[in-house]
Amino acid sequence: MEKVLTVENLQVSFDTYAGEVKAVRGVSFDLEAGEILAIVGESGCGKSVTSQTLMKLNPMPPARILPGSKITLDGNDIVNASEKEMQKIRGNAVSMIFQDPMTCLNPTMQVGKQLTEAIREHKNLTKEEARKEAIRLLELVRIPNPEQRVKQYPHEFSGGMRQRVMIAMALSCAPKVLIADEPTTALDVTIQAQIMDLLLEIREKTGTGIILITHDLGVVASVADKVAVMYAGKIVEEGPVKEIFYRPQHPYTRALLRSLPTTETERKERLISIAGTPPDLLNPPVGCGFGSRCENCMKICNEEQPEQFAVGENHVASCWLLHKDCPPELRGGAK
């Protein structure tokens, strides 16, 4: 299939009063047309910084994309693109659905006007043609009575409806890549399921590649094609969704999955948590970022960054436990 996005060795730092925060430390992945890639991990692992860098939304300064980073989006070099070039790329080649639609929609403007803004910016359409396109987009995201809804304001929509409007705005110029940054965080479980079904339907209809940023592994299991697990600014494991859920190889991935409740969990049973805290990225560890929290940490884990080991078809993990010389009794679930 056609690759619409290639990220190689992405490194992003923030210059703060306390020093350089190395938020993203060598992230690489590909996205194909019509594919859903889920990037998962706990808060502060670099998921949102990675996604925002794809659109150059992080203010520079304090953010810096370090030399050696490469982002190719639908043939465009993002790293070296000017702000003027990015204005043509954003919304056109890549769009984003943000976490909180109420803070992203202008409360003083009708929804239809906010939709037609992006359409008229990137497409050579008249005002009436743009209005009809806005109505079509609201129909696409299953908003009833779109002819009336385009005249309404954001406060007249429910939370789920506002998120649908954000999806319609993101799709207005038929982007090759759609980034969904925690799109269901503020929604109840029923509406979450509807939004995820909608993303699947859009993928089928448009062939758009989708990057889903989330910490909800339940959502990932139902919609993603492949999963990238991030920790301390790095991707520690990546593979097809079934491989990640049924054959997790990195201790962090296994710890995340153990923390999920299951149908067999007793009502009063305590959920398993991951002991310790993530490392300070002002002074990232020399070795494995998860070493201080890993039950099977070895001496080499604190001295060297682990290599990336192939553990299956299109399935890789960065952990010294997967090295051929590692004692079998230390490997735990890794094979």
Side-chain angles (χ1 to χ4, degrees):
M1 294 181 69
E2 175 195 4
K3 282 185 182 178
V4 292
L5 174 67
T6 301
V7 177
E8 297 177 43
N9 192 34
L10 177 62
Q11 301 172 73
V12 183
S13 289
F14 289 84
D15 295 317
T16 71
Y17 69 91
E20 179 186 0
V21 177
K22 298 175 181 177
V24 179
R25 306 187 295 142
V27 164
S28 300
F29 60 85
D30 295 323
L31 181 71
E32 296 179 347
E35 182 177 55
I36 297 180
L37 166 66
I39 302 179
V40 303
E42 59 193 305
S43 297
C45 71
K47 305 186 301 294
S48 291
V49 173
T50 298
S51 64
Q52 289 167 6
T53 303
L54 301 181
M55 297 180 69
K56 278 189 145 177
L57 293 178
N58 297 312
M60 299 184 186
R64 286 186 292 119
I65 302 176
L66 302 188
S69 303
K70 187 175 180 181
I71 304 172
T72 306
L73 172 63
D74 194 27
N76 299 297
D77 178 2
I78 300 298
V79 173
N80 297 311
S82 66
E83 178 58 26
K84 190 173 183 180
E85 290 170 329
M86 286 306 303
Q87 287 175 5
K88 295 178 181 178
I89 293 169
R90 294 187 196 115
N92 208 10
V94 57
S95 288
M96 180 177 281
I97 306 166
F98 294 94
Q99 290 187 38
D100 186 358
M102 197 56 190
T103 59
C104 297
L105 293 170
N106 188 329
T108 67
M109 289 175 63
Q110 293 177 347
V111 163
K113 189 172 182 181
Q114 296 185 60
L115 271 168
T116 56
E117 261 188 339
I119 295 169
R120 297 194 72 189
E121 176 70 25
H122 293 288
K123 294 183 177 180
N124 187 24
L125 297 179
T126 64
K127 189 174 181 179
E128 180 58 26
E129 288 171 336
R131 191 187 75 85
K132 289 180 180 178
E133 178 64 9
I135 292 171
R136 185 191 71 80
L137 287 166
L138 292 182
E139 285 179 332
L140 178 65
V141 296
R142 304 181 199 161
I143 290 182
N145 303 318
E147 294 86 357
Q148 299 300 319
R149 288 292 196 170
V150 291
K151 302 173 187 176
Q152 294 183 327
Y153 292 85
H155 72 270
E156 298 179 87
F157 288 69
S158 67
M161 287 293 187
R162 285 195 292 266
Q163 194 61 282
R164 290 168 191 265
V165 170
M166 288 298 300
I167 294 172
M169 290 177 70
L171 293 171
S172 59
C173 296
K176 293 289 184 73
V177 176
L178 178 63
I179 302 169
D181 188 1
E182 302 276 9
T184 61
T185 296
L187 306 177
D188 62 63
V189 177
T190 304
I191 304 301
Q192 281 185 20
Q194 292 176 5
I195 295 297
M196 287 299 105
D197 287 343
L198 180 57
L199 289 177
L200 286 172
E201 183 180 319
I202 287 166
R203 186 264 299 267
E204 294 298 325
K205 287 182 177 179
T206 65
T208 300
I210 298 174
I211 297 176
L212 177 62
I213 310 294
T214 184
H215 60 266
D216 189 338
L217 290 172
V219 167
V220 170
S222 61
V223 301
D225 297 308
K226 64 182 183 182
V227 180
V229 182
M230 281 194 76
Y231 185 79
K234 287 180 169 286
I235 291 179
V236 296
E237 185 166 3
E238 182 181 5
V241 65
K242 288 186 178 179
E243 284 278 304
I244 296 296
F245 275 83
Y246 294 110
R247 290 187 62 248
Q249 299 297 302
H250 197 281
Y252 179 60
T253 309
R254 297 201 300 271
L256 284 178
L257 292 170
R258 283 201 306 268
S259 68
L260 290 175
T262 68
T263 53
E264 297 176 359
T265 303
E266 295 293 335
R267 185 173 180 179
K268 294 184 179 181
E269 186 179 339
R270 291 178 66 90
L271 295 177
I272 299 171
S273 62
I274 305 174
T277 57
D280 182 0
L281 294 183
L282 273 169
N283 296 292
V286 176
C288 175
F290 192 63
S292 62
R293 305 173 77 183
C294 181
E295 298 173 353
N296 297 318
C297 182
M298 302 178 289
K299 184 179 179 181
I300 192 173
C301 299
N302 294 321
E303 295 175 349
E304 292 183 40
Q305 288 288 340
E307 301 173 20
Q308 192 176 74
F309 298 93
V311 290
E313 187 176 356
N314 300 319
H315 186 184
V316 294
S318 300
C319 180
W320 287 119
L321 294 173
L322 298 167
H323 194 279
K324 60 182 177 63
D325 295 331
C326 176
E329 62 270 17
L330 290 180
R331 293 186 179 183
K335 297 179 181 178

